[in-house]
Amino acid sequence: MWIWVARWLKRPGQEEALRQAAGHIRRHWEEVCLDVGYDPAKNVTVAENDKELRVGISEELDMSFREEPGAWRYY
């Protein structure tokens, strides 16, 4: 199961901008995974269907942040 950290609704003419935005968010989370010792390929995903585009992180990565000291919030 994935925890969705970003979601965009598709609109005509915005597909490329949405893919770029999703790519930036995906790369951010891949770098976070590397920083904390997780495999990005197993802990970050991008899902797309005809209506929306989403970036998600694994439950394991999410729980890691929830259990660590400091603030955690979705954005």
Side-chain angles (χ1 to χ4, degrees), residues 23-33 75:
H24 290 296
I25 299 296
R26 179 185 49 81
R27 279 188 293 282
H28 164 76
W29 282 105
E30 288 173 343
E31 291 171 6
V32 168
C33 281
Y75 63 91

Side-chain angles (χ1 to χ4, degrees), residues 15-59:
E15 290 87 357
E16 186 58 33
L18 296 179
R19 283 191 186 91
Q20 286 180 357
H24 290 296
I25 299 296
R26 179 185 49 81
R27 279 188 293 282
H28 164 76
W29 282 105
E30 288 173 343
E31 291 171 6
V32 168
C33 281
L34 294 172
D35 288 345
V36 297
Y38 284 85
D39 180 2
K42 295 179 181 177
N43 291 284
V44 180
T45 190
V46 175
E48 183 174 0
N49 62 33
D50 59 334
K51 294 183 180 182
E52 64 185 14
L53 182 61
R54 295 180 179 198
V55 176
I57 61 173
S58 68
E59 285 185 20

